[in-house]
Amino acid sequence: VGGGDGSITVYDTDLEAGFKPQQVATGLNGGVTSVSIVGGKAAYGTSNCCIYAHDLRDPRAKAQAISEAHCARVVAVAYAPGDSVRFASVSDDRSVRIWNASDYSVETHCLTRDAGLPGCLAFSGTALFVGWADGAIRAYEADEGEEIWTIDECHRGGVTAIVLSHNNRFLCSGGPLGEVRVWELRTRQLVSHLTQHDDAVTSLMLSDDDLLLYSSARDKSFICWDLREEKRVVTRSQGAGAINAIVLLPAPTPEKQVYVMSVGQERKLTYWDMRTTEPLNLVSIGQEQLCITCTSNGNMAAVAGVDRVVRLYDTLEYALIAECVGHSDSVLSLQFSPDDRQLVSCGRDGCIFVWNIYTAN
């Protein structure tokens, strides 16, 4: 019998023995929702999306977790630079997980209570950085999952976007009131406060040299900031609706990194050259898109949104390459692995999909 406290109890069915109960497992992650026994071996499922295997023939055996997953909306996924084996995810179940992409097992599990819902995620390889609805940014150790530090009151109303610098020296965050802030990681002190957006910041990107910061917002615009001068350099706006996400295409040198792609409520994939005021091209999609990412060479982009379809585009030809169907609700985040061989997506359906990417030589 599975209990709501995460325990398993076996009852002796000998009438003369009086149905003596024996507790054979305790402390399972969540209430037990299903039990299956075949040939003395048992499997348990819990309300927190965990599956355990248990050999009941061995009285010393303990229930072993063989599978786990998020049990609520998955807000964001992220790879660490240069590491295609592991990726991280954060969910409304208040958990942060690091997954092994080779066997899809969970390597690290962090749980935070009394922080509200998570809003964004960054992964350095050694640490996880999560922005929460209580306005704080929390850092977690990647191997053990322990909370390292907290920056309280980063943004009033929650942290909506986050990006880690390539040199791992600072962190940029955005909030629901349109403010963009820069934090030094060593001291956790505020070093820049940038205010130009009139609505919630939806995404952040840094140039390869960490000198320029790009921020998009629900005010229909995205801004390029000079972080050394702490001032706005360029603003670009679309005709209607919020910009939900942007991606900065890579380039051989930082000086040539001038191409940006955006998606949002305008229901189009928009290509921008920061040296010109008007978009280079607009590709109609038909539904609002919520997220965008690109490969390490910038030749392919992936977008997804409320229509539950992950689309791949050739960024040189502006052509649709593939449509990937699997999610049953809006897709909220996606990212290519650093080697560009896989694409990870997540969404409101609580699912994480790993897509294999095959390209012609």
Side-chain angles (χ1 to χ4, degrees), residues 172-245:
C172 304
S173 63
L177 302 181
E179 70 279 6
V180 176
R181 291 170 177 162
V182 183
W183 310 87
E184 185 184 10
L185 285 182
R186 184 177 61 85
T187 63
R188 272 91 72 187
Q189 296 298 309
L190 177 67
V191 295
S192 282
H193 182 199
L194 309 171
T195 56
Q196 289 291 334
H197 287 298
D198 296 326
D199 209 334
V201 176
T202 54
S203 68
L204 297 168
M205 294 291 296
L206 278 164
S207 61
D208 290 341
D209 57 7
D210 290 329
L211 298 179
L212 299 177
L213 172 66
Y214 294 78
S215 61
S216 66
R218 296 187 62 81
D219 60 4
K220 302 185 292 185
S221 74
F222 71 91
I223 297 174
C224 174
W225 306 89
D226 186 323
L227 292 182
R228 286 183 299 187
E229 300 293 330
E230 298 185 45
K231 68 178 183 180
R232 178 180 58 178
V233 179
V234 177
T235 300
R236 295 289 179 263
S237 300
Q238 67 182 22
I243 296 179
N244 291 329

Side-chain angles (χ1 to χ4, degrees), residues 76-323:
V77 290
Y79 275 95
D83 184 0
S84 298
V85 177
R86 301 183 304 163
F87 65 89
S89 62
V90 64
S91 167
D92 282 356
D93 62 11
R94 277 80 168 177
S95 72
V96 189
R97 286 176 166 91
I98 296 178
W99 305 81
N100 188 309
S102 60
D103 59 6
Y104 310 115
S105 62
V106 174
E107 294 188 350
T108 306
H109 185 174
C110 320
L111 187 63
T112 296
R113 304 186 186 277
D114 303 322
L117 299 178
C120 46
L121 169 69
F123 184 23
S124 70
T126 58
L128 297 151
F129 305 91
V130 181
W132 294 88
D134 65 355
I137 297 174
R138 292 175 172 84
Y140 306 86
E141 205 274 330
D143 290 332
E144 301 298 329
E146 297 295 329
E147 186 174 319
I148 305 171
W149 49 255
T150 300
I151 305 176
D152 292 316
E153 300 179 351
C154 295
H155 296 275
R156 189 172 63 182
V159 183
T160 58
I162 197 171
V163 66
L164 179 68
S165 67
H166 297 89
N167 60 18
N168 289 330
R169 293 181 179 177
F170 64 92
L171 190 72
C172 304
S173 63
L177 302 181
E179 70 279 6
V180 176
R181 291 170 177 162
V182 183
W183 310 87
E184 185 184 10
L185 285 182
R186 184 177 61 85
T187 63
R188 272 91 72 187
Q189 296 298 309
L190 177 67
V191 295
S192 282
H193 182 199
L194 309 171
T195 56
Q196 289 291 334
H197 287 298
D198 296 326
D199 209 334
V201 176
T202 54
S203 68
L204 297 168
M205 294 291 296
L206 278 164
S207 61
D208 290 341
D209 57 7
D210 290 329
L211 298 179
L212 299 177
L213 172 66
Y214 294 78
S215 61
S216 66
R218 296 187 62 81
D219 60 4
K220 302 185 292 185
S221 74
F222 71 91
I223 297 174
C224 174
W225 306 89
D226 186 323
L227 292 182
R228 286 183 299 187
E229 300 293 330
E230 298 185 45
K231 68 178 183 180
R232 178 180 58 178
V233 179
V234 177
T235 300
R236 295 289 179 263
S237 300
Q238 67 182 22
I243 296 179
N244 291 329
I246 56 173
V247 65
L248 179 62
L249 298 183
T253 62
E255 295 78 14
K256 296 181 179 180
Q257 198 172 20
V258 295
Y259 297 104
V260 176
M261 300 173 69
S262 66
V263 293
Q265 292 180 334
E266 201 174 36
R267 302 182 180 184
K268 296 176 182 177
L269 173 60
T270 307
Y271 294 75
W272 303 86
D273 184 337
M274 300 306 292
R275 297 166 296 188
T276 61
T277 57
E278 296 300 319
L280 290 177
N281 199 9
L282 295 94
V283 178
S284 179
I285 298 179
Q287 294 288 334
E288 179 182 357
Q289 301 301 294
L290 302 174
C291 48
I292 183 170
T293 188
C294 72
T295 54
S296 58
N297 60 13
N299 292 338
M300 184 188 300
V303 302
V306 299
D307 58 359
R308 310 181 298 278
V309 179
V310 176
R311 293 179 173 85
L312 302 180
Y313 286 90
D314 184 325
T315 60
L316 302 177
E317 302 293 334
Y318 311 123
L320 178 65
I321 300 173
E323 292 183 328

